[in-house]
Amino acid sequence: MQFFLDILLPIPLERLFTYRITEQEATIIQPGMRVAVPFGRSKIYTGMAFRVHQDAPLAYEAKEIYQILDDVPLVNQFQLKHWAWIANYYMCTLGEVFRAAMPGAFLLESETLILPNKESQIDELSLKDDEFLVFEALRHQSALKVGEISGIVDKKNVLPLVNRLVQKGVVLQKEELYEQYRPKLVRYVTLGEIYTSEEKLEELLQELSRAPKQSQVVLSLFQLQAETKKPIKVSDLEKESGSSHAVIKALIDKGVLEEYYIRTDRVNHGSESSNVGDVIFNEHQNKALAHIRTGFQEQKTVLLHGVTSSGKTEVYFKLIQECLEQGKQVLYLLPEIALTSQMINRLQQYFGSKVSVYHSKYSIHERVEVWNNVLANADKAQIVIGARSSLLLPYKHLGLIIVDEEHESSFKQFDPAPRYHARDAGIVLAKLHEANCILGSATPSIESMENAKKGKYAYAYMAQRYGNVLMPDINLVDIKEATRKKRMKGHFSETLYLAIAEALEEGEQIILFQNRRGFAPIVECTTCGHAAQCPNCDVSLTYHQHRNQLRCHYCGYHMALQNACQACGSHTLDKKGFGTEQIQEELKELFPDAAVGRMDLDTTRGKYAYEKIITAFEQQEMDILVGTQMVTKGLDFRNVGLVGIMNADTLLNFPDYRAHERSFQLLTQVAGRAGRTQKRGKVLVQTYNPYHQILQQVSTNDYDKMFAEQIYEREQFKYPPVVRIIKITLKDKDFNKLNEASEWLASSLRNVLGHQVLGPEYPPVGRIRREYLKNIIVKLPKRVAVDQTKNSIKRIEKTFNAISKYKSVRLVYNVDHI
Ligand code: ADP
Ligand code: ZN
Ligand code: ZN
């Protein structure tokens, strides 16, 4: 009797591959175990066992597998069902989902690079012969491909050997290393509590009169406090008083001074308790909780709509607690960027070691560890907090999925496939596990709100900030008027300038939001109008001052800034528009004493860069933080008194049907950073168009009106959520071929699907990395069967692929493109 195994490979091919196995192997193998297999002429892959059967493949001679790599399945049935849904819905292959789901260490293949592990001490005698050969080879070479190791040990199947070497710590798999950032804490001092009265103080100075150095320190502390109204760093005090570490330490030991760290203070902020049982909900939270429970009973997804700082997170924690008591796992999904220490700290404070963090930036080994813990349903992994990819872990029985900041577009994967939306795929995963699912936001997406209005989702609302903290006071500043009256200092209106000065005076921190990074987006010649273009992409290059470079934001191309126009040679180059870098420069001139930081893609590229900026801001080493979108995400800065939006118009005018929705969300979120404590926060929005309906809605916090207007427009112009959108992008290096191919595809689609097919059209940037792009949009009314349409599209793709002259043209599907 012959036995065969269908195997899923991590490659973008539609079908499974069939291999030959022995009868004994057939009894051992279970679906979800990994298997090392040969592929093509010399490749080795790690695949996943799918199905054992006895039917020889007709089209090819089945090869034998190399080896079974696991004793128990690494992937469970819930995952397989969920992955199949993702592949089908988002029009990609199961292999692509498989590759996205597995930590790299689980998928060794012939192309994987192996490096010597320089950190570990290896006892050579403990190595087997073949292990030693590899160890030796890596003394002379900095890296080896797994495929090359085959040659060294003269064996075809080397994956088990490499796995052993990784486990013994002899070698490392090449990866982007990402270690956890542990911030260095800044020490602050203040006067001991008993010395706050004038009397006591007098006594103290009297007492210290015999210790002039010590009394100098106390006097300097006074002076600094009076001048800055801010927490005083130990290092500043040292400088100001001209005294040594030892003197300050002596005062601290005596209790005259007290030292503290702002970071720790933030974690245990004020009245907060560190035990879920102790938190007493206010009436709004209780009401919301009741609605949530009813929703769960009706087995509905629940939308929790609560203004910023209304106490949503506390509600989540209560639900998590209840879920844990039932012995079920919890998944807490966050959008990419907001996955910072803040939320993790808060979760860990409540739930201690039950929390695991899963993030694509974590090292391969950390990810493997979390995978194994989740698979084993270990105590450590009862709560998983993570971005998108944590949806794909091997949960045994999920009881609750929380999608925090559900409106964030970064929940949708853009590249590569699977181009899934984590919120929507999360809802499907919850259904598979019969788990509860809650979506939370201060500014729900139009589609989620529409689902709530239609009764598809249950709905809970919290309109007030917790603890009677007032909503920020949002004011619009007309910069057209200000410019006309010459009341602008650079890009700062007088109103904003004065507000910043006042906040600085009060010792409060300030966030300034500017939608663009870089200094001035383009450098244009005022004589001939030429702006330097990227040679690889259809965009103008952006000016970056600190490197004096022109850079492409799509492909990274850069060149030094030229003195003369490249087209006409004249020296009349003008920097148009403005970005974060320029705001930072202007601030240095306007407020020379303020410490100004910047957070954008350019300053957060390096290791830990993002965390460092956040920490510096939290620790109040910066007075003003200038940033792009990044500053709007779930950060909770207690000392922010003022938020300024430099120019709201660039957001509103973005050519996209979601521009208005996004502007509302973004401006509301960034405004929400202001005044999270008793003092009312202030927000100033600079604009040329203060009567714009979205700005009016932001300033009056009128979500309902925004929703009503947006949904009306979507109905008028047939955009989601009224229709579904499938975007098909065609890519090719040959301009003419691309045009011809996309015309062919569009008209074939139109033959079958009729008027729902739009395009082909060039995207705003029509060429990226030397490839031309064209989009075809398919709009599906909600009542049309999606599966049927997708099948039609796939059938047409088959015909398309059979046309030999279009062979080089690549097709990319993006279902529910946002
Ligand atoms: P959101 O998630 O809606 O932005 P949070 O849950 O972070 O709001 O709540 C805002 C602040 O109020 C936090 O400091 C939180 O600890 C506090 N808070 C919320 N609800 C309670 C409660 N019931 N008891 C005590 N503190 C609360
Ligand atoms: Zn010119
Ligand atoms: Zn480019």
Side-chain angles (χ1 to χ4, degrees):
M1 188 105 58
Q2 288 189 318
F3 288 90
F4 296 95
L5 175 64
D6 288 346
I7 289 184
L8 175 64
L9 294 176
I11 50 179
L13 291 175
E14 281 294 342
R15 51 197 183 87
L16 302 174
F17 288 82
T18 306
Y19 288 82
R20 186 185 294 280
I21 50 174
T22 65
E23 183 167 359
Q24 199 210 355
E25 284 167 339
T27 60
I28 299 171
I29 290 174
Q30 295 171 47
M33 287 181 177
R34 288 171 311 144
V35 184
V37 295
F39 188 77
R41 278 187 44 206
S42 61
K43 284 209 177 85
I44 309 169
Y45 273 123
T46 299
M48 192 192 72
F50 216 81
R51 189 173 71 98
V52 176
H53 57 88
Q54 297 179 342
D55 313 320
L58 296 176
Y60 54 94
E61 179 71 23
K63 291 183 186 172
E64 283 172 20
I65 65 168
Y66 280 149
Q67 187 135 18
I68 304 168
L69 295 172
D70 298 311
D71 303 331
V72 290
L74 216 54
V75 173
N76 68 32
Q77 291 301 315
F78 284 117
Q79 284 170 294
L80 289 181
K81 278 188 205 149
H82 190 227
W83 295 359
W85 179 86
I86 291 177
N88 177 52
Y89 186 84
Y90 293 102
M91 300 178 79
C92 65
T93 69
L94 199 54
E96 286 171 313
V97 186
F98 177 46
R99 178 175 283 282
M102 306 295 277
F106 282 148
L107 293 182
L108 290 180
E109 56 187 53
S110 36
E111 296 300 303
T112 309
L113 271 182
I114 299 298
L115 317 173
N117 184 356
K118 299 224 166 76
E119 302 284 298
S120 72
Q121 289 286 333
I122 306 297
D123 172 13
E124 293 174 19
L125 292 177
S126 74
L127 298 178
K128 293 189 184 166
D129 288 352
D130 54 357
E131 294 170 359
F132 184 74
L133 283 174
V134 179
F135 175 70
E136 255 308 289
L138 281 170
R139 278 195 186 162
H140 308 293
Q141 260 167 299
S142 58
L144 283 173
K145 280 188 183 166
V146 168
E148 292 169 334
I149 293 175
S150 276
I152 293 170
V153 297
D154 195 22
K155 224 197 278 187
K156 272 195 190 148
N157 175 22
V158 292
L159 291 195
L161 164 63
V162 176
N163 278 325
R164 263 195 336 259
L165 288 167
V166 172
Q167 261 155 29
K168 288 189 179 178
V170 179
V171 301
L172 296 172
Q173 193 178 333
K174 186 168 163 55
E175 58 164 341
E176 292 289 311
L177 267 185
Y178 182 88
E179 293 141 46
Q180 234 162 343
Y181 175 59
R182 304 216 190 297
K184 221 178 93 211
L185 294 178
V186 176
R187 281 201 305 153
Y188 290 87
V189 275
T190 177
L191 207 55
E193 219 174 319
I194 52 163
Y195 299 108
T196 40
S197 79
E198 222 158 285
E199 230 167 90
K200 287 279 180 195
L201 196 62
E202 202 108 344
E203 256 171 55
L204 173 67
L205 287 173
Q206 198 73 42
E207 198 185 309
L208 290 180
S209 61
R210 275 155 288 142
K213 278 189 183 160
Q214 294 192 355
S215 67
Q216 180 56 44
V217 170
V218 173
L219 289 172
S220 298
L221 181 64
F222 264 157
Q223 203 172 345
L224 280 174
Q225 268 169 347
E227 275 169 17
T228 63
K229 296 200 177 121
K230 281 197 302 193
I232 308 300
K233 284 185 216 161
V234 173
S235 53
D236 287 347
L237 183 58
E238 263 177 55
K239 230 186 287 159
E240 178 76 20
S241 62
S243 50
S244 70
H245 217 73
V247 179
I248 295 177
K249 185 166 184 303
L251 284 167
I252 291 171
D253 289 344
K254 270 200 212 167
V256 174
L257 300 184
E258 276 171 17
E259 62 176 338
Y260 63 103
Y261 300 95
I262 288 190
R263 181 164 248 266
T264 15
D265 286 352
R266 183 183 50 71
V267 174
N268 326 299
H269 19 66
S271 61
E272 226 166 275
S273 92
S274 57
N275 192 333
V276 187
D278 296 348
V279 170
I280 296 168
F281 276 4
N282 64 20
E283 55 177 312
H284 309 289
Q285 284 170 317
N286 276 326
K287 217 166 110 196
L289 191 63
H291 285 149
I292 293 167
R293 288 199 209 287
T294 316
F296 285 169
Q297 267 157 23
E298 293 169 1
Q299 289 168 12
K300 281 183 179 171
T301 300
V302 178
L303 175 63
L304 174 59
H305 178 189
V307 299
T308 50
S309 220
S310 55
K312 294 185 289 299
T313 312
E314 299 292 339
V315 173
Y316 301 149
F317 285 3
K318 180 141 205 146
L319 298 171
I320 292 174
Q321 177 80 7
E322 289 173 3
C323 181
L324 293 183
E325 279 160 12
Q326 292 169 19
K328 292 185 182 165
Q329 293 164 303
V330 177
L331 169 60
Y332 194 133
L333 278 175
L334 278 170
E336 203 91 67
I337 201 76
L339 188 73
T340 59
S341 38
Q342 291 207 350
M343 196 60 222
I344 296 166
N345 281 347
R346 226 170 132 180
L347 260 178
Q348 280 173 340
Q349 243 213 317
Y350 277 99
F351 300 107
S353 59
K354 286 188 160 43
V355 183
S356 281
V357 183
Y358 194 73
H359 191 276
S360 61
K361 270 190 175 171
Y362 281 8
S363 79
I364 288 182
H365 300 288
E366 283 172 299
R367 274 183 282 156
V368 165
E369 207 180 304
V370 176
W371 183 288
N372 286 332
N373 284 335
V374 172
L375 183 67
N377 196 10
D379 206 42
K380 273 189 220 166
Q382 290 307 299
I383 306 169
V384 176
I385 178 168
R388 275 198 306 261
S389 59
S390 49
L391 269 178
L392 306 173
L393 287 166
Y395 302 100
K396 273 225 164 61
H397 45 212
L398 272 173
L400 174 67
I401 297 181
I402 297 163
V403 185
D404 198 5
E405 311 285 359
E406 68 83 30
H407 63 278
E408 277 291 334
S409 52
S410 56
F411 275 127
K412 180 76 157 60
Q413 165 126 338
F414 182 66
D415 244 350
R419 295 178 177 82
Y420 63 112
H421 198 302
R423 176 194 59 214
D424 301 342
I427 292 170
V428 172
L429 184 64
K431 287 264 178 309
L432 283 174
H433 282 267
E434 294 176 14
N436 293 324
C437 184
I438 183 163
L439 317 178
S441 174
T443 51
S445 61
I446 300 290
E447 54 264 47
S448 292
M449 187 50 109
E450 173 75 350
N451 280 328
K453 297 244 183 213
K454 282 192 173 149
K456 188 174 164 197
Y457 295 168
Y459 180 71
Y461 183 52
M462 299 195 288
Q464 254 109 38
R465 286 185 150 188
Y466 181 80
N468 298 324
V469 173
L470 290 171
M471 289 302 283
D473 176 25
I474 304 178
N475 287 296
L476 304 176
V477 181
D478 186 346
I479 43 178
K480 197 196 236 159
E481 181 78 3
T483 311
R484 198 171 56 77
K485 291 188 179 156
K486 301 217 165 26
R487 291 237 178 100
M488 295 289 287
K489 292 176 197 283
H491 293 94
F492 292 83
S493 62
E494 197 172 32
T495 318
L496 181 56
Y497 172 82
L498 290 174
I500 293 173
E502 189 186 319
L504 288 173
E505 184 76 14
E506 299 276 321
E508 289 170 352
Q509 288 176 295
I510 298 148
I511 292 180
L512 294 178
F513 169 76
Q514 167 56 30
N515 196 29
R516 280 201 191 116
R517 65 192 162 111
F519 186 80
I522 56 172
V523 176
E524 203 177 70
C525 170
T526 54
T527 306
C528 76
H530 174 80
Q533 301 288 309
C534 174
N536 309 320
C537 315
D538 257 1
V539 288
S540 304
L541 296 173
T542 306
Y543 176 50
H544 286 243
Q545 192 194 33
H546 69 293
R547 281 184 272 192
N548 207 36
Q549 271 181 348
L550 295 172
R551 298 187 71 90
C552 170
H553 285 181
Y554 285 86
C555 74
Y557 172 88
H558 51 88
M559 62 188 264
L561 178 69
Q562 313 287 311
N563 290 324
C565 170
Q566 283 180 306
C568 75
S570 84
H571 289 265
T572 54
L573 295 177
D574 180 35
K575 295 170 191 128
K576 288 229 169 221
F578 65 111
T580 39
E581 207 177 329
Q582 192 173 3
I583 300 296
Q584 194 185 15
E585 290 297 314
E586 289 184 7
L587 282 168
K588 276 184 200 154
E589 302 235 320
L590 294 173
F591 304 100
D593 294 333
V596 182
R598 177 158 66 93
M599 182 153 78
D600 57 28
L601 267 181
D602 294 316
T603 59
T604 53
R605 235 184 272 281
K607 241 191 209 178
Y608 320 137
Y610 182 71
E611 288 87 343
K612 276 182 190 162
I613 296 172
I614 302 267
T615 309
F617 195 70
E618 274 175 358
Q619 298 189 349
Q620 304 192 19
E621 287 172 60
M622 283 176 211
D623 300 309
I624 308 178
L625 180 62
V626 184
T628 54
Q629 257 77 336
M630 290 183 177
V631 299
T632 64
K633 310 293 155 103
L635 307 170
D636 185 354
F637 300 125
R638 309 240 133 207
N639 192 43
V640 175
L642 172 69
V643 168
I645 317 292
M646 298 307 298
N647 182 339
D649 307 299
T650 52
L651 285 175
L652 292 166
N653 298 334
F654 201 75
D656 181 276
Y657 72 92
R658 279 180 198 268
H660 287 178
E661 175 189 355
R662 289 233 174 95
S663 305
F664 182 90
Q665 287 161 343
L666 208 119
L667 293 172
T668 307
Q669 296 283 347
V670 75
R673 304 298 116 220
R676 291 193 152 220
T677 45
Q678 288 308 319
K679 196 175 165 210
R680 191 169 188 199
K682 190 166 182 173
V683 181
L684 291 175
V685 182
Q686 297 195 137
T687 172
Y688 283 97
N689 191 357
Y691 300 103
H692 195 291
Q693 85 269 21
I694 286 288
L695 297 182
Q696 293 291 334
Q697 288 150 10
V698 169
S699 69
T700 52
N701 192 27
D702 197 344
Y703 178 90
D704 292 339
K705 198 154 173 204
M706 187 281 295
F707 175 80
E709 270 181 27
Q710 292 306 311
I711 198 81
Y712 176 78
E713 281 187 16
R714 308 274 173 99
E715 267 157 14
Q716 292 301 301
F717 301 104
K718 300 284 172 275
Y719 280 117
V722 179
V723 298
R724 255 179 237 280
I725 285 187
I726 300 175
K727 187 174 89 172
I728 307 172
T729 304
L730 296 94
K731 304 185 182 183
D732 199 272
K733 289 201 159 76
D734 182 333
F735 179 75
N736 292 324
K737 191 195 288 180
L738 178 77
N739 279 329
E740 201 186 305
S742 43
E743 285 302 337
W744 186 98
L745 188 65
S747 65
S748 310
L749 288 167
R750 233 171 242 127
N751 278 341
V752 180
L753 304 170
H755 296 304
Q756 312 158 40
V757 181
L758 307 179
E761 230 165 302
Y762 294 107
V765 178
R767 192 173 63 124
I768 295 179
R769 293 173 213 274
R770 293 172 186 277
E771 275 189 321
Y772 292 96
L773 310 178
K774 248 179 165 176
N775 289 334
I776 297 171
I777 303 281
V778 181
K779 282 187 179 179
L780 300 179
K782 274 280 158 82
R783 60 191 150 72
V784 172
V786 202
D787 278 346
Q788 216 175 323
T789 309
K790 285 178 189 161
N791 288 338
S792 309
I793 296 175
K794 286 274 180 187
R795 258 200 309 277
I796 293 169
E797 182 190 350
K798 283 219 172 74
T799 320
F800 180 85
N801 286 337
I803 303 173
S804 61
K805 61 179 168 174
Y806 297 153
K807 233 191 171 78
S808 63
V809 181
R810 289 191 299 135
L811 284 189
V812 173
Y813 294 110
N814 193 329
V815 178
D816 292 345
H817 167 66
I818 54 173

